[in-house]
Amino acid sequence: MATTAELEAMRHALSLARRGPRGVNPQVGAVLLSPAGDVLAEGWHRGAGTAHAEVDALSKLAEGEARGATAIVTLEPCNHIGRTGPCAVALLDAGVERVVYAIADPNVPAAGGAERLRAAGVEVEGGVLADDARTLLDGWLAVQRLRRPHVTVKWAQSLDGRAAAADGTSRWITGPAAREDVHRRRAQADAIVVGTGTLLADDPALTARRPDGSLYDAQPIPVVLGARAIPDDAAVRQHPKSVLHRSGENLGGESPNAPSLLEELRELGVQRVFVEGGPTIASAFLRADLVDEVLVYVAPTLLGSGTEGRDRPALRYLGVDTIASQRRLDVASVTPLGPDLLVVAHPAAEGVV
């Protein structure tokens, strides 16, 4: 069982981990305690290719100073040679006698550090403040589980399922409270995806903004899908991050390139993708079964169809040709946002979105 000093050190290690960047590698913090429970050193991981948290902490001590110490780490010490050596070996070489970690490493090539330490006679305890660590590493853990970034698809619609009026105008279906919620969620994402149709129709900045118009500190990478060019004066050109423009080829057909896009984003360190549409892009991700969360902002308004059947539905073809193949969702919550409703849903238990 973890001591009071170890619990306090783990909380501090979690705060240290948050200083590191969110990306390909996990955010990890470490604290080294003396046998008396005093802090000897601390460290955190600063990104791919830099020292891991344990090694960062050890580097601040003189040779032999860590002998008999306890290492408090937010993630199980790694057991593989990547750009850096195994942290489990570094701890052994330093003479650490006890290791306390929050959660096991789900990355198979890196896992096994706890077992290696125990085999060498080090006392090891896992699961300390595990829930807090999972919350911190939620996005990274999702990537390890899914082998791709976590995908949220969002759209706004009228009560009768329309995303825009017959002429294509869609500003604004929902009210200020709903739009504020969208921007807050954008700030939690690493990339935001739209099609050129939406870009050309609405000219979105694709930034995450506070109600006063100022930018959140965290901004998603703007990703634009479609063969049409992005105008030089488009609002997205002023985004603080460079636009990633991909053709979007086949997104409307039977073989969407959504998987290859997600693989590219994963290699860039993206953990959470926020797909804002429009209907063609959202439908492509849904059709490919690449959606983990659906956000639907429903406004109490009716748009109907235009003359000559000019409809602007919230979604397009999903591969549902018969009621037996409908894509069911499990609703997680329904939240009022001013006059609007936000419905949050996830893939149904049978694995169909």
Side-chain angles (χ1 to χ4, degrees):
M1 180 178 294
T3 66
T4 300
E6 289 170 350
L7 288 170
E8 183 178 344
M10 183 64 80
R11 292 188 184 94
H12 184 52
L14 288 165
S15 70
L16 292 171
R18 293 186 182 92
R19 299 183 186 181
R22 190 166 65 181
V24 175
N25 288 356
Q27 296 166 289
V28 182
V31 175
L32 297 175
L33 298 178
S34 71
D38 299 321
V39 175
L40 295 172
E42 60 186 43
W44 67 92
H45 185 49
R46 292 168 172 79
T50 66
H52 288 190
E54 302 95 316
V55 175
D56 184 42
L58 288 170
S59 70
K60 298 168 184 175
L61 298 178
E63 185 176 353
E65 197 174 353
R67 192 160 303 279
T70 295
I72 310 295
V73 193
T74 57
L75 183 68
E76 175 189 10
C78 69
N79 191 39
H80 81 306
I81 299 176
R83 296 185 184 180
T84 60
C87 291
V89 172
L91 293 171
L92 288 173
D93 290 344
V96 169
E97 292 187 356
R98 176 170 162 82
V99 172
V100 177
Y101 67 90
I103 56 176
D105 194 331
N107 184 16
V108 175
E115 182 179 348
R116 185 170 190 167
L117 288 163
R118 287 193 185 98
V122 174
E123 184 181 354
V124 179
E125 181 171 350
V128 176
L129 298 186
D131 289 344
D132 293 16
R134 289 191 191 96
T135 298
L136 169 67
L137 293 178
D138 181 54
W140 182 80
L141 290 171
V143 172
Q144 308 313 303
R145 183 179 70 255
L146 300 168
R147 312 309 301 170
R148 60 166 174 78
H150 179 281
V151 175
T152 294
V153 168
K154 163 263 172 183
W155 68 84
Q157 67 171 58
S158 62
L159 203 58
D160 56 343
R162 300 297 190 269
D167 64 356
T169 56
S170 60
R171 290 189 173 182
W172 296 101
I173 290 178
T174 55
R179 297 198 295 274
E180 180 180 342
D181 187 76
V182 169
H183 281 275
R184 180 179 62 81
R185 293 174 185 272
R186 282 183 180 182
Q188 296 171 349
D190 301 306
I192 179 171
V193 179
V194 299
T196 49
T198 295
L199 188 86
L200 296 173
D202 297 340
D203 193 26
L206 300 184
T207 51
R209 302 183 297 279
R210 300 183 181 91
D212 64 3
S214 64
L215 296 180
Y216 279 100
D217 294 337
Q219 292 292 321
I221 299 170
V223 181
V224 179
L225 301 180
R228 287 178 287 182
I230 301 174
D232 291 339
D233 60 351
V236 74
R237 296 286 191 190
Q238 303 304 313
H239 197 286
K241 293 190 175 179
S242 299
V243 180
L244 186 66
H245 186 195
R246 295 293 179 264
S247 71
E249 185 179 359
N250 295 328
L251 276 170
E254 292 299 320
S255 301
N257 66 359
S260 62
L261 173 67
L262 292 180
E263 178 59 29
E264 179 180 2
L265 292 177
R266 178 189 174 190
E267 292 175 357
L268 291 174
V270 169
Q271 296 177 5
R272 292 192 169 274
V273 175
F274 198 64
V275 178
E276 285 215 28
T280 299
I281 302 300
S283 300
F285 277 87
L286 285 161
R287 193 169 57 246
D289 290 330
L290 291 172
V291 178
D292 306 294
E293 181 180 57
V294 171
L295 306 178
V296 185
Y297 295 85
V298 183
T301 188
L302 301 173
L303 295 177
S305 62
T307 57
E308 300 177 358
R310 290 188 300 165
D311 286 349
R312 300 284 182 170
L315 293 174
R316 301 198 186 283
Y317 182 65
L318 295 179
V320 178
D321 296 314
T322 176
I323 197 65
S325 60
Q326 63 185 296
R327 293 170 175 259
R328 288 196 172 275
L329 303 172
D330 290 332
V331 175
S333 63
V334 178
T335 306
L337 294 171
D340 307 314
L341 291 177
L342 167 60
V343 179
V344 179
H346 303 101
E350 62 268 26
V352 180
V353 174

